Amino acid sequence: MGYFAGRYDVAVIGAGHAGIEAALAAARLGCSTVLFTLNLDWIANMACNPSVGGTAKGHLVREIDALGGEMAKAADMTLLQSRMLNRGKGPAVHSLRAQIDRREYTSVMKYRLETTPGLDLQQEEVIGIKRHEKGWLVQTKLEGEYLSKTVIVASGTFLKGKVFVGDINFDGGPDGMFAANALSSSLQQLGISLRRFKTGTPARVLRSSIDFSKTGKQQGEDPVIPFSYETKTKLENKADCHITWTNEKTKDVIKRNLHRSALYGGIIHGVGPRYCPSIEDKIVKFADKERHQVFIEPCGLKTEEMYLQGLSTSLPVDVQLELLHTVEGLENVKVIRPAYAMEYDCCDPLQLDSSLEFINIPGIYGAGQFNGSSGYEEAAAQGLVAGINAALKVQGRPPMLLDRASSYIGTLIDDLVTKGCTDPYRMMTSRSEYRLILRQDNADERLTPIGRQVGLVDDERWENYCQRQSAKKAERQRLYQTIIPPNEKLNQILVSCETTPVSTGVRLEDLLKRPQLNYEKLLPVDKKRPKLDPMVKDQVEIELKYEGYIKRQQSAIEEMRRLESRQLSVDIDYTAIGGLRKEAQEKLMKVKPTSLGQASRISGVSPADISVLIVWLNSRQNH
């Protein structure tokens, strides 16, 4: 017999990267919030790579911060090493990546949750969600019954989790945790369609057993660039990473034992991540490659545990040891946590709308890996959006909807709820058609006003943001108004940078547009330059150099938003619209798009189908 445990506005199931952002956002917006976790000591656990950011993922972290989320600040506080990826490419794909002290990260996030007003933490397994006349009844294994107006499911990889190591498999979650086996059936009873996905993680090894003299060293970059716009303290690199390679001996060990892999032995049925394959997958699918990279990364300052990125596997432990001992630097390595693969239940995200609320189950939201994505950053982004929208729903306010042109977060959600996913979804810069607009350097400009409108950006932060925008505007004006007369010093700079010298006066703005020049090279002829925030300086220079391309993308955005403004009711019966192909009717009925823009992005809906919809909409408006 259950007992009544409390009444809340928002209940969040799962305290991983999605759940914590959801709970913090809801509580900070004034909603009474309860957050459930299987184990308080594993809040915000980095069950795989001990890092934050990376290509496109760094963009997500900056955007989470701009909206008022927590991940960026926690990453800055627990940073071991930082690097800016893709510096050899254009600014659209520059992405911060930081190695993180995983146990410190958990500690920081746990304390933040514990000290947030209006937020209760509960170490309980949720086993059921039932409809109630006043919302939803959340039931726990210890017979607690929590009444909540809204519920966010952020269960990660725990729903009916199963661990695989060779031919051994058992119910379980990541890092030796137990699985949540009861909730899946309750969700299905509510009408939520579930499917099985797969993930995996490499072995963890003892630092002292690695011969680093045979590996390459990867040091962090100085100065360290913070993730958060609010971080003002100077950050330092505290640890090095290393790199080594597999070889023909490694390949031979894997090929000889491929039948013992849970993945290739036919034991695993869940679909794994396309862009983070196991070492078995790499050997099979890229048979012509002689070697594969292995990154050796620290898990923290107070542990000897090292993470072997690139060697995820479901092979048995004896084979894991044999293959590791073929790798240079790892000949005598000691494994302290074997690698494993995992299967888990997750939902089909086509059941969700752009607020991450289930279309046919108002008041229930999904976030993170439960929605079919992979990655800490993707999870945190969805958690933040779900938490904000659950709170806004409770308060009777319209949802916060981010379109594809606003952010990578908007692109991520639109991809999930419009196109769906057949394998764990990973964010990449190539997924955005507006990536020159959606740079990590201007995330605050794009999203901080939205965070302010929602209520997560406080007065101090808003004032700092406004000051940066004023400084940027003033600098753009100064560069336009400042004309440098032709002189020997300027032309020496131009010739040394292999760009055309000048014979007449030239605006600083036009000089900075030249690809061979930058702020530092022009300093000798720009002595009156004011002291600029590095973020402001980077933004100004990027916007000037890529001005033409940016204008072109802005035009594409205007066209996209024109289509988005043509609203579609979720009650439309597309099977009754003549001229639509049968495939388009089926896809439109399944996704239930809310705009012509969203309809145009559904796989299986052609431009001709959109034309039919436009004619149909126009005919209805004329009657």
Side-chain angles (χ1 to χ4, degrees), residues 82-99:
S82 176
R83 295 169 63 224
M84 183 71 77
L85 305 185
N86 304 321
R87 281 197 183 275
K89 300 178 181 179
V93 295
H94 291 177
S95 300
L96 266 178
R97 182 186 185 274
Q99 207 64 36

Side-chain angles (χ1 to χ4, degrees), residues 42 148 271 278 309 389 398 544 560 613:
W42 293 96
S148 184
V271 182
S278 66
Q309 182 187 338
N389 284 323
L544 283 174
M560 181 272 290
L613 278 177

Side-chain angles (χ1 to χ4, degrees), residues 9-258:
D9 294 322
V10 180
V12 183
I13 302 171
H17 304 281
I20 54 181
E21 293 288 356
L24 286 169
R28 288 168 174 169
L29 289 175
C31 290
S32 57
T33 304
V34 59
L35 175 60
F36 298 98
T37 179
L38 293 172
N39 191 327
L40 284 168
D41 293 328
W42 293 96
I43 283 172
N45 181 36
M46 294 183 170
C48 205
N49 199 325
S51 69
V52 167
T55 302
K57 292 169 177 279
H59 294 66
L60 289 172
V61 180
R62 276 277 178 87
E63 291 178 353
I64 290 165
D65 186 67
L67 283 169
E70 197 65 28
M71 177 175 261
K73 291 189 278 289
D76 288 342
M77 291 174 66
T78 58
L79 178 143
L80 295 177
Q81 186 201 81
S82 176
R83 295 169 63 224
M84 183 71 77
L85 305 185
N86 304 321
R87 281 197 183 275
K89 300 178 181 179
V93 295
H94 291 177
S95 300
L96 266 178
R97 182 186 185 274
Q99 207 64 36
I100 300 297
D101 191 317
R102 67 191 293 255
R103 292 274 62 87
E104 280 298 308
Y105 190 87
T106 289
S107 179
V108 165
M109 282 298 200
K110 181 171 181 280
Y111 184 73
R112 193 58 49 94
L113 292 165
E114 291 169 337
T115 55
T116 297
L119 174 54
D120 291 342
L121 277 171
Q122 289 293 324
Q123 181 171 294
E124 285 243 47
E125 179 186 348
V126 174
I127 62 172
I129 304 170
K130 290 188 175 180
R131 298 180 188 275
H132 188 277
E133 60 182 352
K134 294 184 179 179
W136 299 94
L137 204 59
V138 179
Q139 300 171 311
T140 68
K141 196 169 188 176
L142 299 181
E143 299 187 335
E145 294 187 340
Y146 298 77
L147 183 60
S148 184
K149 295 176 182 176
T150 59
V151 178
I152 300 170
V153 183
S155 49
T157 60
F158 285 90
L159 286 186
K160 287 192 175 178
K162 180 166 279 193
V163 176
F164 296 84
V165 184
D167 59 0
I168 298 170
N169 61 85
F170 51 88
D171 292 349
D175 277 336
M177 295 277 286
F178 55 85
N181 286 327
L183 184 57
S184 288
S185 60
S186 177
L187 295 173
Q188 288 173 319
Q189 288 170 17
L190 290 174
I192 295 174
S193 174
L194 300 179
R195 69 261 187 90
R196 297 288 278 178
F197 273 1
K198 172 249 173 191
T199 187
T201 191
R204 273 51 158 199
V205 301
L206 197 64
R207 183 197 305 264
S208 58
S209 68
I210 301 171
D211 185 351
F212 288 108
S213 68
K214 296 181 178 180
T215 68
K217 182 185 289 188
Q218 283 192 320
Q219 296 178 311
E221 291 183 352
D222 285 314
V224 173
I225 300 172
F227 275 114
S228 176
Y229 293 97
E230 294 191 83
T231 298
K232 302 302 178 187
T233 56
K234 184 180 179 182
L235 302 178
E236 297 180 354
N237 291 299
K238 302 172 185 175
D240 294 328
C241 296
H242 293 78
I243 186 170
T244 185
W245 299 81
T246 64
N247 51 52
E248 288 296 331
K249 292 180 181 178
T250 317
K251 184 186 291 189
D252 180 61
V253 170
I254 293 169
K255 290 172 76 173
R256 280 191 288 108
N257 292 279
L258 201 59

Side-chain angles (χ1 to χ4, degrees), residues 348 350-351 359 417-419 570 572-577 579-593 599 602-606 609 613:
D348 181 348
L350 291 176
Q351 300 166 95
I359 296 169
V417 306
T418 302
K419 301 175 183 177
V570 295
I572 293 174
D573 180 4
Y574 293 98
T575 62
I577 300 177
L580 282 178
R581 293 174 307 112
K582 188 170 181 58
E583 181 188 7
Q585 291 175 341
E586 291 173 355
K587 295 290 182 67
L588 289 164
M589 288 300 294
K590 184 175 182 179
V591 176
K592 297 183 184 299
I602 297 173
S603 176
V605 177
S606 70
D609 295 316
L613 278 177

